[in-house]
Amino acid sequence: MIKYLNKKYPNDDYPSILIHLYYFMISLTLCYLYYHKFISRADFFSPTSSGAIYAVLDGSAIKPIQFRILIPLIFKAVQAVIFVVKTIPDKAIFFLITITLCYMILFSFYLLLGQYFKGKAMNCWLAAIIIYPMIWNFVIMNGQFFYMDFSILLIIILGFYSIVSEKYNWLLVVFFLGVLNHPSVGYLIPAFLLYNYRKLFKFKTIIYIVAMSVMYVAIYKIMDAYFPSTEGYFVIYNLPRNLSLFSFLPLHIIIRDLLFNFGGLHFLVLFLFLSGAWRRFRGPLLYINLVIIPYVISVMINFSIEEIRNYITIIPFVLILVLLFLSSFENSFLKPVDRLYSENNR
């Protein structure tokens, strides 16, 4: 099968129409489940709702929802384009946007896989594996709807790809859109540092770090001044509350969350490091994925650890490490690119 695929699409940089259809059908399936669990019951109007698209557009939403303006702006733009079709309800429009975002997640992950593994044809089909952790963290284990969750994952994948492909000007564009979408885009800064650990004091590295940092702080300061509502919060110290959960949450709930976050893929990440297989892949393409460590620590300190959707930001980093682990087996169908191997394993 693999030989057939590589022969069929030997040098294609982009997937064929068949692959695009494959991505669309997968996106439709996942988003259909997501629609019936969340979108169909979402409140787009209440200022205190986590789905407050209209409240964000009129400036009445509470912090930090008010600062997450990218998807509401896209929603409004789509409405303006199809205003002649007045029978399309709001939730149908949002459903279409969600399908588009999911399709773009699959395509972007395909591009990211190309930076790690040989065989473009194989990567075309393999990209759909990202749906597995998504269905756990977005649907099965998720208990709350936030309109920006799909765009969070898309922007992180695009930022990840921009870093490892060293397209840093595109990284700035992605980062700007990410700041308008959700503060989690800030984790691309430590990811960029981890990838450029050998060039930390180079002028180019410093410039991009400063540019992203200034952009992050300046945009949120501007929005804070423009939307002066004192309701809500931007950052919360949640460590005491998270630690207390271990004393009153039922044991089976704690075990469930530990086992099925990412669908259990995080255990394969542990095996990668405990087995020593990671030593084959020393270098920036490996180390960038260690951004999962500061992220998990920050979830403990500033987020709600039992809210599984909070971990969607690191899905691509977890999944890449899982695939690296699988590629370490003899006769694996995954063939890492040459620059991923450490000097001793080339």
Side-chain angles (χ1 to χ4, degrees):
M1 178 65 176
I2 297 173
K3 289 181 179 179
Y4 169 77
L5 290 173
N6 288 330
K7 185 177 180 180
K8 184 75 173 176
Y9 310 110
N11 296 305
D12 288 352
D13 290 328
Y14 297 100
S16 67
I17 295 299
L18 174 63
I19 298 298
H20 286 289
L21 180 61
Y22 170 60
Y23 291 168
F24 171 75
M25 296 304 294
I26 292 173
S27 300
L28 179 62
T29 303
L30 174 61
C31 294
Y32 181 80
L33 299 175
Y34 189 79
Y35 176 87
H36 284 285
K37 184 171 182 178
F38 295 110
I39 300 175
S40 63
R41 298 183 287 110
D43 179 1
F44 289 172
F45 294 92
S46 173
T48 60
S49 169
S50 57
I53 289 177
Y54 282 108
V56 169
L57 288 172
D58 65 25
S60 64
I62 63 170
K63 300 175 184 176
I65 302 298
Q66 182 61 63
F67 297 158
R68 303 169 184 179
I69 64 174
L70 181 64
I71 294 301
L73 291 175
I74 292 174
F75 181 87
K76 186 175 181 179
V78 173
Q79 273 189 326
V81 169
I82 62 173
F83 75 98
V84 292
V85 189
K86 298 184 182 296
T87 57
I88 298 181
D90 293 341
K91 290 176 181 178
I93 293 174
F94 187 81
F95 179 50
L96 294 175
I97 292 172
T98 306
I99 293 172
T100 303
L101 290 171
C102 191
Y103 161 80
M104 293 173 69
I105 286 169
L106 287 163
F107 181 73
S108 301
F109 192 63
Y110 154 73
L111 295 177
L112 179 61
L113 286 174
Q115 298 297 311
Y116 279 85
F117 302 103
K118 300 175 182 177
K120 292 183 175 66
M122 190 69 231
N123 291 338
C124 285
W125 298 97
L126 184 63
I129 198 173
I130 197 171
I131 294 296
Y132 175 72
M134 285 179 69
I135 202 167
W136 282 97
N137 287 56
F138 280 81
V139 181
I140 299 174
M141 299 285 287
N142 187 15
Q144 192 171 10
F145 168 74
F146 278 84
Y147 60 77
M148 76 296 296
D149 280 351
F150 277 79
S151 52
I152 288 173
L153 181 55
L154 174 61
I155 284 169
I156 290 297
I157 294 173
L158 288 173
F160 189 175
Y161 169 73
S162 298
I163 293 171
V164 296
S165 63
E166 300 185 4
K167 298 176 180 179
Y168 297 149
N169 290 335
W170 280 111
L171 173 62
L172 294 181
V173 175
V174 171
F175 193 85
F176 171 75
L177 294 175
V179 174
L180 299 180
N181 183 68
H182 192 273
S184 62
V185 72
Y187 291 97
L188 289 177
I189 297 177
F192 181 82
L193 288 171
L194 286 165
Y195 181 79
N196 289 283
Y197 71 98
R198 293 173 178 166
K199 309 172 187 175
L200 289 181
F201 301 105
K202 297 286 187 180
F203 179 75
K204 185 177 180 180
T205 304
I206 294 171
I207 285 294
Y208 281 104
I209 290 296
V210 170
M212 287 188 285
S213 301
V214 169
M215 192 187 306
Y216 192 87
V217 173
I219 291 175
Y220 284 124
K221 284 289 186 181
I222 291 169
M223 286 198 289
D224 193 39
Y226 187 77
F227 304 111
S229 172
T230 57
E231 293 186 73
Y233 57 85
F234 184 71
V235 177
I236 187 172
Y237 179 63
N238 228 18
L239 181 60
R241 180 259 184 198
N242 285 330
L243 292 176
S244 71
L245 291 178
F246 293 100
S247 63
F248 72 79
L249 271 183
L251 181 60
H252 72 277
I253 296 297
I254 296 174
I255 294 175
R256 181 201 66 184
D257 289 353
L258 288 174
L259 287 178
F260 295 113
N261 197 358
F262 311 108
L265 291 180
H266 52 300
F267 291 107
L268 294 182
V269 174
L270 288 177
F271 293 152
L272 170 68
F273 290 100
L274 293 177
S275 68
W278 67 273
R279 293 189 179 90
R280 300 178 60 190
F281 309 114
R282 289 176 182 170
L285 285 174
L286 172 69
Y287 297 147
I288 186 176
N289 297 283
L290 298 182
V291 74
I292 62 177
I293 297 173
Y295 185 85
V296 170
I297 293 172
S298 68
V299 168
M300 175 65 75
I301 296 172
N302 298 118
F303 300 94
S304 300
I305 58 172
E306 83 285 4
E307 194 174 332
I308 300 301
R309 57 165 294 278
N310 281 333
Y311 301 92
I312 62 177
T313 302
I314 55 172
I315 283 177
F317 302 102
V318 169
L319 194 48
I320 287 294
L321 289 176
V322 168
L323 294 174
L324 289 179
F325 176 63
L326 295 178
S327 74
S328 68
F329 288 93
E330 188 175 355
N331 298 321
S332 172
F333 64 93
L334 291 165
K335 305 300 178 186
V337 296
D338 293 338
R339 73 185 184 111
L340 183 55
Y341 285 109
S342 66
E343 293 292 336
N344 294 330
N345 288 284
R346 285 180 180 170

